[in-house]
Amino acid sequence: MTKITVAALQLAFSDDIDANIAEVSKLVRDAAKQGAKVILPPELFEGHYFCQVEDEGLFARAKPTGEHKAVKAMQALAAELKVHIPTSFFELDGQHHYNSLAMIDPDGKIMGVYRKSHIPDGPGYEEKFYFRPGNTGFKIWPAQDTILGVGICWDQWYPETARAMMLMGAQILFYPTAIGNEPHDPELDTSRLWRRAMIGHAVSNVVPVVAANRIGTENGQTFYGHSFICDERGDMLAEFGKDETGVLVATLDIDLAKRHRAAFGFFRDRRPELYGRLTQDI
């Protein structure tokens, strides 16, 4: 029976990269002590979520993968603790900028980089100013006798992201996130929608989902937490509310999820010849 213990981190961030790395590192250590082998920090934990505004000076935060402080720190920590750490960071590649994730293995090596495919653009989430759409395609990685798929924040709203990774062989889906209130509409609370979208991916793909979000208020924008780990039926195994700081840990039964997936027949009964419209522009 293949089982794996995974973790999601939830915390608030300052705009001091060294302080943030230290706080994330504490929680990673806590998760490892609880047996977690894959530990997911939130999106862009290097600082405040800077995409609230369009400021050309903020491009200076981007660094090449091998030079980024957050990536280097998580590499050292992963090697010490013998865990996988999917690490979100602001990537500079030549003249291009990406919202990226480095998958770091238990030897501290970078298995590969995924660049966020779907880039939002709206009040409080001005990401198209900073990031090019990812050019890596969706990615999966073998890890701890299973296969990990990772989408970044806005990717999590797209069923195509989850289904593509599943068709590639993913057995757990991870989503690091930075999401909170909507500056243009104070009455709109998307926290329920956010969770339901990903739980829908779990149910329709029969796959466990791990989501890590930040909390706290940054420049007037409040991030709502609600990080969670659910199983392949969409049932919650561990979850936070809007304020907790800490580590969510759950053990996933990969073989049982495989059996459930086969029994539901979602992949057996697919009709790809009917789905051409999905690849056409509106």
mmCIF file with all atom_site columns, all heavy atoms in Angstrom, residues 55 70 73 105 115 120 124 130 144 160 163 166 187 207 219 236 273:
data_model
loop_
_atom_site.group_PDB
_atom_site.id
_atom_site.type_symbol
_atom_site.label_atom_id
_atom_site.label_alt_id
_atom_site.label_comp_id
_atom_site.label_asym_id
_atom_site.label_entity_id
_atom_site.label_seq_id
_atom_site.pdbx_PDB_ins_code
_atom_site.Cartn_x
_atom_site.Cartn_y
_atom_site.Cartn_z
_atom_site.occupancy
_atom_site.B_iso_or_equiv
_atom_site.pdbx_formal_charge
_atom_site.auth_seq_id
_atom_site.auth_comp_id
_atom_site.auth_asym_id
_atom_site.auth_atom_id
_atom_site.pdbx_PDB_model_num
ATOM 1   N N   . ASP A 1 55  ? 4.232   48.721 -10.694 1.00 0.00 ? 55  ASP A N   1
ATOM 2   C CA  . ASP A 1 55  ? 5.387   49.527 -10.288 1.00 0.00 ? 55  ASP A CA  1
ATOM 3   C C   . ASP A 1 55  ? 6.627   48.929 -10.941 1.00 0.00 ? 55  ASP A C   1
ATOM 4   O O   . ASP A 1 55  ? 7.054   47.828 -10.579 1.00 0.00 ? 55  ASP A O   1
ATOM 5   C CB  . ASP A 1 55  ? 5.508   49.522 -8.772  1.00 0.00 ? 55  ASP A CB  1
ATOM 6   C CG  . ASP A 1 55  ? 6.697   50.331 -8.254  1.00 0.00 ? 55  ASP A CG  1
ATOM 7   O OD1 . ASP A 1 55  ? 7.538   50.772 -9.061  1.00 0.00 ? 55  ASP A OD1 1
ATOM 8   O OD2 . ASP A 1 55  ? 6.779   50.501 -7.019  1.00 0.00 ? 55  ASP A OD2 1
ATOM 9   N N   . ALA A 1 70  ? 15.055  32.563 -2.020  1.00 0.00 ? 70  ALA A N   1
ATOM 10  C CA  . ALA A 1 70  ? 14.056  31.618 -1.533  1.00 0.00 ? 70  ALA A CA  1
ATOM 11  C C   . ALA A 1 70  ? 14.343  30.214 -2.050  1.00 0.00 ? 70  ALA A C   1
ATOM 12  O O   . ALA A 1 70  ? 14.230  29.226 -1.308  1.00 0.00 ? 70  ALA A O   1
ATOM 13  C CB  . ALA A 1 70  ? 12.657  32.068 -1.945  1.00 0.00 ? 70  ALA A CB  1
ATOM 14  N N   . ALA A 1 73  ? 17.497  28.786 -0.307  1.00 0.00 ? 73  ALA A N   1
ATOM 15  C CA  . ALA A 1 73  ? 17.221  28.424 1.081   1.00 0.00 ? 73  ALA A CA  1
ATOM 16  C C   . ALA A 1 73  ? 16.426  27.121 1.165   1.00 0.00 ? 73  ALA A C   1
ATOM 17  O O   . ALA A 1 73  ? 16.713  26.257 2.008   1.00 0.00 ? 73  ALA A O   1
ATOM 18  C CB  . ALA A 1 73  ? 16.459  29.550 1.773   1.00 0.00 ? 73  ALA A CB  1
ATOM 19  N N   . ASP A 1 105 ? 14.060  18.499 -4.749  1.00 0.00 ? 105 ASP A N   1
ATOM 20  C CA  . ASP A 1 105 ? 14.004  17.121 -4.271  1.00 0.00 ? 105 ASP A CA  1
ATOM 21  C C   . ASP A 1 105 ? 14.752  16.948 -2.946  1.00 0.00 ? 105 ASP A C   1
ATOM 22  O O   . ASP A 1 105 ? 15.382  17.894 -2.446  1.00 0.00 ? 105 ASP A O   1
ATOM 23  C CB  . ASP A 1 105 ? 14.495  16.155 -5.360  1.00 0.00 ? 105 ASP A CB  1
ATOM 24  C CG  . ASP A 1 105 ? 16.004  16.152 -5.548  1.00 0.00 ? 105 ASP A CG  1
ATOM 25  O OD1 . ASP A 1 105 ? 16.735  16.771 -4.755  1.00 0.00 ? 105 ASP A OD1 1
ATOM 26  O OD2 . ASP A 1 105 ? 16.462  15.499 -6.507  1.00 0.00 ? 105 ASP A OD2 1
ATOM 27  N N   . ARG A 1 115 ? 6.390   27.245 -14.965 1.00 0.00 ? 115 ARG A N   1
ATOM 28  C CA  . ARG A 1 115 ? 6.031   28.655 -15.064 1.00 0.00 ? 115 ARG A CA  1
ATOM 29  C C   . ARG A 1 115 ? 4.516   28.781 -15.200 1.00 0.00 ? 115 ARG A C   1
ATOM 30  O O   . ARG A 1 115 ? 3.923   28.153 -16.086 1.00 0.00 ? 115 ARG A O   1
ATOM 31  C CB  . ARG A 1 115 ? 6.745   29.287 -16.263 1.00 0.00 ? 115 ARG A CB  1
ATOM 32  C CG  . ARG A 1 115 ? 8.252   29.380 -16.053 1.00 0.00 ? 115 ARG A CG  1
ATOM 33  C CD  . ARG A 1 115 ? 9.012   29.760 -17.310 1.00 0.00 ? 115 ARG A CD  1
ATOM 34  N NE  . ARG A 1 115 ? 10.422  30.014 -17.003 1.00 0.00 ? 115 ARG A NE  1
ATOM 35  C CZ  . ARG A 1 115 ? 11.387  30.095 -17.920 1.00 0.00 ? 115 ARG A CZ  1
ATOM 36  N NH1 . ARG A 1 115 ? 11.092  29.925 -19.212 1.00 0.00 ? 115 ARG A NH1 1
ATOM 37  N NH2 . ARG A 1 115 ? 12.621  30.333 -17.556 1.00 0.00 ? 115 ARG A NH2 1
ATOM 38  N N   . PRO A 1 120 ? -3.514  36.265 -14.199 1.00 0.00 ? 120 PRO A N   1
ATOM 39  C CA  . PRO A 1 120 ? -4.685  37.119 -13.996 1.00 0.00 ? 120 PRO A CA  1
ATOM 40  C C   . PRO A 1 120 ? -4.360  38.589 -14.225 1.00 0.00 ? 120 PRO A C   1
ATOM 41  O O   . PRO A 1 120 ? -3.192  39.004 -14.212 1.00 0.00 ? 120 PRO A O   1
ATOM 42  C CB  . PRO A 1 120 ? -5.043  36.871 -12.528 1.00 0.00 ? 120 PRO A CB  1
ATOM 43  C CG  . PRO A 1 120 ? -3.737  36.549 -11.889 1.00 0.00 ? 120 PRO A CG  1
ATOM 44  C CD  . PRO A 1 120 ? -2.960  35.783 -12.921 1.00 0.00 ? 120 PRO A CD  1
ATOM 45  N N   . GLY A 1 124 ? -6.107  44.628 -7.810  1.00 0.00 ? 124 GLY A N   1
ATOM 46  C CA  . GLY A 1 124 ? -5.431  43.907 -6.744  1.00 0.00 ? 124 GLY A CA  1
ATOM 47  C C   . GLY A 1 124 ? -4.612  42.721 -7.195  1.00 0.00 ? 124 GLY A C   1
ATOM 48  O O   . GLY A 1 124 ? -3.842  42.163 -6.413  1.00 0.00 ? 124 GLY A O   1
ATOM 49  N N   . TYR A 1 130 ? 3.601   42.073 -14.726 1.00 0.00 ? 130 TYR A N   1
ATOM 50  C CA  . TYR A 1 130 ? 4.885   41.532 -14.290 1.00 0.00 ? 130 TYR A CA  1
ATOM 51  C C   . TYR A 1 130 ? 5.290   40.230 -14.987 1.00 0.00 ? 130 TYR A C   1
ATOM 52  O O   . TYR A 1 130 ? 6.482   40.003 -15.225 1.00 0.00 ? 130 TYR A O   1
ATOM 53  C CB  . TYR A 1 130 ? 4.841   41.266 -12.780 1.00 0.00 ? 130 TYR A CB  1
ATOM 54  C CG  . TYR A 1 130 ? 4.669   42.517 -11.967 1.00 0.00 ? 130 TYR A CG  1
ATOM 55  C CD1 . TYR A 1 130 ? 3.423   42.864 -11.458 1.00 0.00 ? 130 TYR A CD1 1
ATOM 56  C CD2 . TYR A 1 130 ? 5.739   43.367 -11.726 1.00 0.00 ? 130 TYR A CD2 1
ATOM 57  C CE1 . TYR A 1 130 ? 3.249   44.028 -10.720 1.00 0.00 ? 130 TYR A CE1 1
ATOM 58  C CE2 . TYR A 1 130 ? 5.582   44.527 -10.992 1.00 0.00 ? 130 TYR A CE2 1
ATOM 59  C CZ  . TYR A 1 130 ? 4.337   44.860 -10.494 1.00 0.00 ? 130 TYR A CZ  1
ATOM 60  O OH  . TYR A 1 130 ? 4.173   46.017 -9.775  1.00 0.00 ? 130 TYR A OH  1
ATOM 61  N N   . GLN A 1 144 ? 8.719   10.300 -3.997  1.00 0.00 ? 144 GLN A N   1
ATOM 62  C CA  . GLN A 1 144 ? 8.276   9.478  -2.877  1.00 0.00 ? 144 GLN A CA  1
ATOM 63  C C   . GLN A 1 144 ? 7.271   8.398  -3.312  1.00 0.00 ? 144 GLN A C   1
ATOM 64  O O   . GLN A 1 144 ? 6.226   8.205  -2.698  1.00 0.00 ? 144 GLN A O   1
ATOM 65  C CB  . GLN A 1 144 ? 7.632   10.375 -1.808  1.00 0.00 ? 144 GLN A CB  1
ATOM 66  C CG  . GLN A 1 144 ? 8.469   11.555 -1.377  1.00 0.00 ? 144 GLN A CG  1
ATOM 67  C CD  . GLN A 1 144 ? 9.638   11.178 -0.480  1.00 0.00 ? 144 GLN A CD  1
ATOM 68  O OE1 . GLN A 1 144 ? 9.690   10.077 0.042   1.00 0.00 ? 144 GLN A OE1 1
ATOM 69  N NE2 . GLN A 1 144 ? 10.572  12.088 -0.308  1.00 0.00 ? 144 GLN A NE2 1
ATOM 70  N N   . GLU A 1 160 ? -9.040  22.566 -16.900 1.00 0.00 ? 160 GLU A N   1
ATOM 71  C CA  . GLU A 1 160 ? -8.098  22.037 -17.900 1.00 0.00 ? 160 GLU A CA  1
ATOM 72  C C   . GLU A 1 160 ? -6.725  21.793 -17.284 1.00 0.00 ? 160 GLU A C   1
ATOM 73  O O   . GLU A 1 160 ? -6.021  20.854 -17.673 1.00 0.00 ? 160 GLU A O   1
ATOM 74  C CB  . GLU A 1 160 ? -7.971  23.010 -19.081 1.00 0.00 ? 160 GLU A CB  1
ATOM 75  C CG  . GLU A 1 160 ? -9.244  23.202 -19.883 1.00 0.00 ? 160 GLU A CG  1
ATOM 76  C CD  . GLU A 1 160 ? -10.135 24.312 -19.360 1.00 0.00 ? 160 GLU A CD  1
ATOM 77  O OE1 . GLU A 1 160 ? -9.886  24.818 -18.222 1.00 0.00 ? 160 GLU A OE1 1
ATOM 78  O OE2 . GLU A 1 160 ? -11.082 24.692 -20.059 1.00 0.00 ? 160 GLU A OE2 1
ATOM 79  N N   . ARG A 1 163 ? -6.985  18.512 -15.243 1.00 0.00 ? 163 ARG A N   1
ATOM 80  C CA  . ARG A 1 163 ? -7.172  17.341 -16.117 1.00 0.00 ? 163 ARG A CA  1
ATOM 81  C C   . ARG A 1 163 ? -5.908  17.062 -16.932 1.00 0.00 ? 163 ARG A C   1
ATOM 82  O O   . ARG A 1 163 ? -5.524  15.897 -17.113 1.00 0.00 ? 163 ARG A O   1
ATOM 83  C CB  . ARG A 1 163 ? -8.379  17.571 -17.033 1.00 0.00 ? 163 ARG A CB  1
ATOM 84  C CG  . ARG A 1 163 ? -8.705  16.426 -17.995 1.00 0.00 ? 163 ARG A CG  1
ATOM 85  C CD  . ARG A 1 163 ? -8.842  15.069 -17.333 1.00 0.00 ? 163 ARG A CD  1
ATOM 86  N NE  . ARG A 1 163 ? -9.848  14.976 -16.289 1.00 0.00 ? 163 ARG A NE  1
ATOM 87  C CZ  . ARG A 1 163 ? -11.120 14.649 -16.489 1.00 0.00 ? 163 ARG A CZ  1
ATOM 88  N NH1 . ARG A 1 163 ? -11.563 14.399 -17.709 1.00 0.00 ? 163 ARG A NH1 1
ATOM 89  N NH2 . ARG A 1 163 ? -11.946 14.553 -15.463 1.00 0.00 ? 163 ARG A NH2 1
ATOM 90  N N   . MET A 1 166 ? -3.468  15.326 -14.745 1.00 0.00 ? 166 MET A N   1
ATOM 91  C CA  . MET A 1 166 ? -3.908  13.957 -14.493 1.00 0.00 ? 166 MET A CA  1
ATOM 92  C C   . MET A 1 166 ? -3.617  13.050 -15.686 1.00 0.00 ? 166 MET A C   1
ATOM 93  O O   . MET A 1 166 ? -3.164  11.912 -15.526 1.00 0.00 ? 166 MET A O   1
ATOM 94  C CB  . MET A 1 166 ? -5.395  13.938 -14.165 1.00 0.00 ? 166 MET A CB  1
ATOM 95  C CG  . MET A 1 166 ? -5.750  14.607 -12.854 1.00 0.00 ? 166 MET A CG  1
ATOM 96  S SD  . MET A 1 166 ? -4.904  13.880 -11.431 1.00 0.00 ? 166 MET A SD  1
ATOM 97  C CE  . MET A 1 166 ? -5.574  12.221 -11.452 1.00 0.00 ? 166 MET A CE  1
ATOM 98  N N   . GLU A 1 187 ? -17.816 43.407 -0.997  1.00 0.00 ? 187 GLU A N   1
ATOM 99  C CA  . GLU A 1 187 ? -18.834 42.432 -0.616  1.00 0.00 ? 187 GLU A CA  1
ATOM 100 C C   . GLU A 1 187 ? -18.557 41.037 -1.183  1.00 0.00 ? 187 GLU A C   1
ATOM 101 O O   . GLU A 1 187 ? -19.224 40.076 -0.799  1.00 0.00 ? 187 GLU A O   1
ATOM 102 C CB  . GLU A 1 187 ? -20.215 42.903 -1.105  1.00 0.00 ? 187 GLU A CB  1
ATOM 103 C CG  . GLU A 1 187 ? -20.647 44.253 -0.547  1.00 0.00 ? 187 GLU A CG  1
ATOM 104 C CD  . GLU A 1 187 ? -20.673 44.261 0.964   1.00 0.00 ? 187 GLU A CD  1
ATOM 105 O OE1 . GLU A 1 187 ? -21.199 43.289 1.550   1.00 0.00 ? 187 GLU A OE1 1
ATOM 106 O OE2 . GLU A 1 187 ? -20.164 45.226 1.560   1.00 0.00 ? 187 GLU A OE2 1
ATOM 107 N N   . VAL A 1 207 ? -8.644  12.615 -7.213  1.00 0.00 ? 207 VAL A N   1
ATOM 108 C CA  . VAL A 1 207 ? -7.253  12.860 -6.855  1.00 0.00 ? 207 VAL A CA  1
ATOM 109 C C   . VAL A 1 207 ? -7.193  13.757 -5.614  1.00 0.00 ? 207 VAL A C   1
ATOM 110 O O   . VAL A 1 207 ? -7.995  14.680 -5.477  1.00 0.00 ? 207 VAL A O   1
ATOM 111 C CB  . VAL A 1 207 ? -6.501  13.523 -8.033  1.00 0.00 ? 207 VAL A CB  1
ATOM 112 C CG1 . VAL A 1 207 ? -7.049  14.912 -8.342  1.00 0.00 ? 207 VAL A CG1 1
ATOM 113 C CG2 . VAL A 1 207 ? -4.999  13.584 -7.773  1.00 0.00 ? 207 VAL A CG2 1
ATOM 114 N N   . ASN A 1 219 ? -0.895  46.175 2.617   1.00 0.00 ? 219 ASN A N   1
ATOM 115 C CA  . ASN A 1 219 ? -1.274  47.386 1.886   1.00 0.00 ? 219 ASN A CA  1
ATOM 116 C C   . ASN A 1 219 ? -2.781  47.474 1.655   1.00 0.00 ? 219 ASN A C   1
ATOM 117 O O   . ASN A 1 219 ? -3.249  47.825 0.572   1.00 0.00 ? 219 ASN A O   1
ATOM 118 C CB  . ASN A 1 219 ? -0.522  47.441 0.548   1.00 0.00 ? 219 ASN A CB  1
ATOM 119 C CG  . ASN A 1 219 ? 0.984   47.370 0.732   1.00 0.00 ? 219 ASN A CG  1
ATOM 120 O OD1 . ASN A 1 219 ? 1.555   48.112 1.537   1.00 0.00 ? 219 ASN A OD1 1
ATOM 121 N ND2 . ASN A 1 219 ? 1.632   46.464 0.017   1.00 0.00 ? 219 ASN A ND2 1
ATOM 122 N N   . MET A 1 236 ? -12.478 16.778 3.329   1.00 0.00 ? 236 MET A N   1
ATOM 123 C CA  . MET A 1 236 ? -11.389 17.482 3.990   1.00 0.00 ? 236 MET A CA  1
ATOM 124 C C   . MET A 1 236 ? -10.660 16.573 4.969   1.00 0.00 ? 236 MET A C   1
ATOM 125 O O   . MET A 1 236 ? -11.271 15.954 5.851   1.00 0.00 ? 236 MET A O   1
ATOM 126 C CB  . MET A 1 236 ? -11.914 18.710 4.724   1.00 0.00 ? 236 MET A CB  1
ATOM 127 C CG  . MET A 1 236 ? -12.348 19.835 3.809   1.00 0.00 ? 236 MET A CG  1
ATOM 128 S SD  . MET A 1 236 ? -10.944 20.523 2.894   1.00 0.00 ? 236 MET A SD  1
ATOM 129 C CE  . MET A 1 236 ? -11.786 21.789 1.934   1.00 0.00 ? 236 MET A CE  1
ATOM 130 N N   . GLU A 1 273 ? -12.471 12.959 -28.917 1.00 0.00 ? 273 GLU A N   1
ATOM 131 C CA  . GLU A 1 273 ? -12.845 13.380 -30.269 1.00 0.00 ? 273 GLU A CA  1
ATOM 132 C C   . GLU A 1 273 ? -13.960 14.431 -30.247 1.00 0.00 ? 273 GLU A C   1
ATOM 133 O O   . GLU A 1 273 ? -14.196 15.116 -31.252 1.00 0.00 ? 273 GLU A O   1
ATOM 134 C CB  . GLU A 1 273 ? -13.275 12.165 -31.104 1.00 0.00 ? 273 GLU A CB  1
ATOM 135 C CG  . GLU A 1 273 ? -14.615 11.542 -30.714 1.00 0.00 ? 273 GLU A CG  1
ATOM 136 C CD  . GLU A 1 273 ? -14.533 10.546 -29.574 1.00 0.00 ? 273 GLU A CD  1
ATOM 137 O OE1 . GLU A 1 273 ? -13.481 10.495 -28.893 1.00 0.00 ? 273 GLU A OE1 1
ATOM 138 O OE2 . GLU A 1 273 ? -15.530 9.808  -29.376 1.00 0.00 ? 273 GLU A OE2 1
#
